[in-house]
């Protein structure tokens, strides 16, 4: 009976979190197919460890972190292939995806992965600096620095961050 209960709990967790986490990972990764692959692998790992992961204060944070790490690892292994693919590829356009969202994802692609992760976790997921530090394992000062640098880098690409660029200095 315990196995059936844990399976039902995992299925409920997956159903409740999949779309939201896909949005987060897509924003961090910048490629929908890669985000989907990384997230599915993260869910598979969560299922293998569901007894432990379910007991965490925030299982979604665990899955999101694992998915991001999987994507980064994939980037490192296939950097040359991805660059060649992206040179000739058009942006992923999904039904219901707004031009603003596509512009934001394109701008996020232009900044380093650690800054992109901090920006997405803070502005799209709504995490505090302390929560981001806990989730990523980075010191809070590093998270603040990544947010400030990320905002400065995005300022030239996304007008929303041009106004916030002055406020970003408060995080350093």
């Amino acid at each position: 009976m315990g196995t059936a209960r844990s399976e039902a709990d995992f299925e409920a967790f997956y159903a409740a979190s999949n779309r939201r986490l896909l949005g987060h990972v897509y924003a961090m990764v910048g490629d929908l197919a890669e985000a989907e692959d990384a997230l599915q692998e993260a869910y598979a790992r969560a299922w293998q460890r569901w007894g432990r992961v379910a007991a965490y204060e925030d299982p979604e944070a665990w899955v999101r972190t694992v998915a991001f790490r999987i994507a980064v690892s994939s980037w490192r292994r296939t950097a040359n292939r991805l660059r060649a693919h992206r040179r000739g590829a058009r942006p992923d356009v999904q039904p219901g995806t707004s031009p603003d969202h596509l512009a934001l994802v394109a701008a996020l692609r232009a900044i380093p992965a650690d800054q992109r992760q901090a920006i997405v976790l803070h502005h799209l997921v709504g995490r505090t600096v302390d929560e981001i530090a806990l989730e990523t394992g980075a010191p809070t000062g590093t998270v603040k620095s990544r947010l400030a640098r990320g905002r400065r880098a995005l300022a030239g690409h996304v007008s929303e961050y041009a106004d916030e660029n002055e406020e970003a200095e408060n995080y350093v």
Side-chain angles (χ1 to χ4, degrees), residues 34 70-87:
E34 211 168 311
I70 289 167
V72 168
S73 176
S74 173
W75 294 339
R76 289 180 182 142
R77 287 190 312 266
T78 61
N80 290 333
R81 184 175 45 180
L82 286 173
R83 275 193 295 271
H85 173 71
R86 286 187 176 143
R87 274 195 294 265

Side-chain angles (χ1 to χ4, degrees), residues 83-123:
R83 275 193 295 271
H85 173 71
R86 286 187 176 143
R87 274 195 294 265
R90 293 190 333 234
D92 293 318
V93 177
Q94 297 299 314
T97 302
S98 73
D100 288 342
H101 184 75
L102 290 175
L104 177 60
V105 169
L108 286 166
R109 284 180 182 164
I111 66 174
D114 58 350
Q115 293 173 15
R116 180 171 50 240
Q117 182 184 33
I119 292 287
V120 168
L121 289 175
H122 187 70
H123 291 284

Side-chain angles (χ1 to χ4, degrees), residues 114-115 118-119 122-123 128-133 136 138-152 165 167-172:
D114 58 350
Q115 293 173 15
I119 292 287
H122 187 70
H123 291 284
T128 66
V129 170
D130 290 336
E131 291 170 333
I132 295 169
T136 62
T140 56
T142 301
V143 172
K144 290 176 183 180
S145 175
R146 288 174 181 171
L147 284 169
R149 287 186 197 136
R151 287 185 188 114
R152 278 194 298 272
N165 203 20
E167 296 174 26
E169 298 306 320
N170 295 333
Y171 285 100
V172 179

Side-chain angles (χ1 to χ4, degrees), residues 33-48:
E34 211 168 311
E36 289 171 334
D37 290 347
L39 187 59
Q40 288 308 311
E41 177 63 25
Y43 275 118
R45 292 180 187 184
W47 169 244
Q48 292 170 345

